Amino acid sequence: MRILFATDGSQGSAVALDLLLSLPHRPEDRIDVVSVPVHRYVGAGVEGTGVFIAEVVEAEIADATRAAAGAVARLQARGVAGESRVAEGPAAEAILAAAGALGSDLIVVGSRGHGRIAGALLGSTARALARHSPVPVLVVRERREAPRRILVAADGSPDSRAAVAALASMPLVDHAEITLLYVARESMPPNMPEGQFADELRAAIERNERMDALETLRQAAGILPSCVTVRLETERGPAADRILEVAGAKGADLIVLGSRGTTLGTGFLQGSTADRVLGGAHCAVLVARAPVPVGDRPEPSALAASAG
């Protein structure tokens, strides 16, 4: 697996790097590092237009270079191959461009950044990457160790299958506990009749939904490596709420989900659900989407709007 680690030298990036270093890397794994300097306007130019101060720009580039080189040095000390680079431009666009050029299979970022090159990996940029990246994105929060309790929200949609496949391709610790969760719709179809017949119909619908859900979860389980322990669970209600509740109850240190999806025509893992999970989770979140044709990929302006 080829991983791209995006760093800004902040504490959030350090946590993400610690997690990467704790994974049981395989000989074929490679971790490249990219850092994006953020050039700030200093002073005032003609008609109030900000001007760059050369010394500040040079310092920002030097900070980014040191951040990338320092991360690569730590990785190489652990025997993990990779290269470092400094990428110019808006953070999300620059990171995605680097991922495309390197052929990355996964992008890893800290949830927030700060410092002189702050803004490169602020929460808004992590969200923009999660929304638009054609490759899976792992947003790391407080935990510095390889995940051992993983919650996977699976609904059988293309994005959900891509998320399960992304997890299966990652270097995972032996005997990691993976819970595959299917969240069914909260309410019955409209215009349901009343009375005993309605109760029987409702029960039949719920039985069929559960059977479909379990089949979806079994298919997802078949993708996962044999070194992990898998449990299947179903819930009912608002998707983001249930995912976060189950993750909290199980002490999950990683949540995995597709960026969009559908469940029985109701829209289980739509983008808003992925956004809510990403914003509300207290652990790392892996978001993936199904392959996107080149012509359908977002324009740079869309990335900038998401990161703004």
Side-chain angles (χ1 to χ4, degrees), residues 129-168:
L129 291 170
R131 289 172 182 168
H132 299 297
S133 174
V135 300
V137 175
L138 174 61
V139 180
V140 180
R141 284 192 168 84
E142 298 175 1
R143 184 178 172 85
R144 295 174 179 266
E145 300 175 358
R148 295 181 177 276
R149 295 177 299 278
I150 303 170
L151 176 66
V152 181
D155 69 349
S157 68
D159 282 10
S160 174
R161 291 195 295 270
V164 177
L167 176 66

Side-chain angles (χ1 to χ4, degrees), residues 32 49 52 105-106 130 133 142 151 153 166 170 209 217 228-229 234 244 270 272 285 301:
D32 302 304
T49 302
F52 289 125
D105 303 304
L106 174 69
S133 174
E142 298 175 1
L151 176 66
M170 286 180 59
E209 287 180 346
L217 295 178
V228 301
T229 301
T234 61
L244 292 172
Q270 293 181 359
S272 59
V285 179
S301 57

Side-chain angles (χ1 to χ4, degrees), residues 5-227:
F5 169 51
T7 179
D8 62 359
S10 67
Q11 181 64 24
S13 292
V15 170
L17 180 57
D18 285 346
L19 186 147
L20 276 175
L21 288 168
S22 72
L23 294 175
H25 294 290
R26 302 154 298 196
E28 66 272 18
D29 292 328
R30 179 183 178 94
I31 301 179
D32 302 304
V33 181
V34 63
S35 188
V36 184
V38 176
H39 301 311
R40 303 182 184 282
Y41 286 101
V42 181
V46 178
E47 297 181 355
T49 302
V51 295
F52 289 125
I53 303 299
E55 292 82 357
V56 174
V57 173
E58 290 176 1
E60 290 165 345
I61 294 174
D63 283 347
T65 302
R66 280 192 295 270
V72 165
R74 289 190 63 191
L75 290 164
Q76 290 178 343
R78 295 288 295 271
V80 182
E83 65 180 72
S84 68
R85 61 172 58 190
V86 173
E88 293 276 359
E93 296 173 38
I95 293 167
L96 290 182
L102 293 166
S104 304
D105 303 304
L106 174 69
I107 297 172
V108 177
V109 296
S111 61
R112 295 195 178 276
H114 58 269
R116 186 153 55 181
I117 53 175
L121 297 180
L122 289 174
S124 59
T125 298
R127 285 193 298 271
L129 291 170
R131 289 172 182 168
H132 299 297
S133 174
V135 300
V137 175
L138 174 61
V139 180
V140 180
R141 284 192 168 84
E142 298 175 1
R143 184 178 172 85
R144 295 174 179 266
E145 300 175 358
R148 295 181 177 276
R149 295 177 299 278
I150 303 170
L151 176 66
V152 181
D155 69 349
S157 68
D159 282 10
S160 174
R161 291 195 295 270
V164 177
L167 176 66
S169 66
M170 286 180 59
L172 300 174
V173 298
D174 288 344
H175 309 300
E177 299 176 3
I178 298 180
T179 299
L180 292 171
L181 174 68
Y182 185 106
V183 182
R185 58 188 172 190
E186 187 173 23
S187 59
M188 291 293 104
N191 303 319
M192 283 282 290
E194 300 293 334
Q196 181 178 354
F197 174 74
D199 293 338
E200 294 174 352
L201 179 59
R202 185 176 293 106
I205 291 174
E206 290 181 353
R207 281 196 302 272
N208 289 336
E209 287 180 346
R210 179 170 173 76
M211 291 175 60
D212 290 343
L214 290 175
E215 178 58 27
T216 295
L217 295 178
R218 291 189 189 101
Q219 291 178 8
I223 300 174
L224 297 172
S226 58
C227 66

Side-chain angles (χ1 to χ4, degrees), residues 209-281:
E209 287 180 346
R210 179 170 173 76
M211 291 175 60
D212 290 343
L214 290 175
E215 178 58 27
T216 295
L217 295 178
R218 291 189 189 101
Q219 291 178 8
I223 300 174
L224 297 172
S226 58
C227 66
V228 301
T229 301
V230 179
R231 294 181 175 85
L232 311 183
E233 292 193 12
T234 61
E235 289 283 344
R236 183 177 297 277
D241 293 344
R242 294 296 174 266
I243 292 168
L244 292 172
E245 288 170 5
V246 173
K250 293 186 175 296
D253 39 42
L254 173 62
I255 298 173
V256 180
L257 73 165
S259 62
R260 298 168 299 175
T262 57
T263 290
L264 301 174
T266 62
F268 162 27
L269 292 183
Q270 293 181 359
S272 59
T273 298
D275 282 347
R276 288 186 60 195
V277 170
L278 189 62

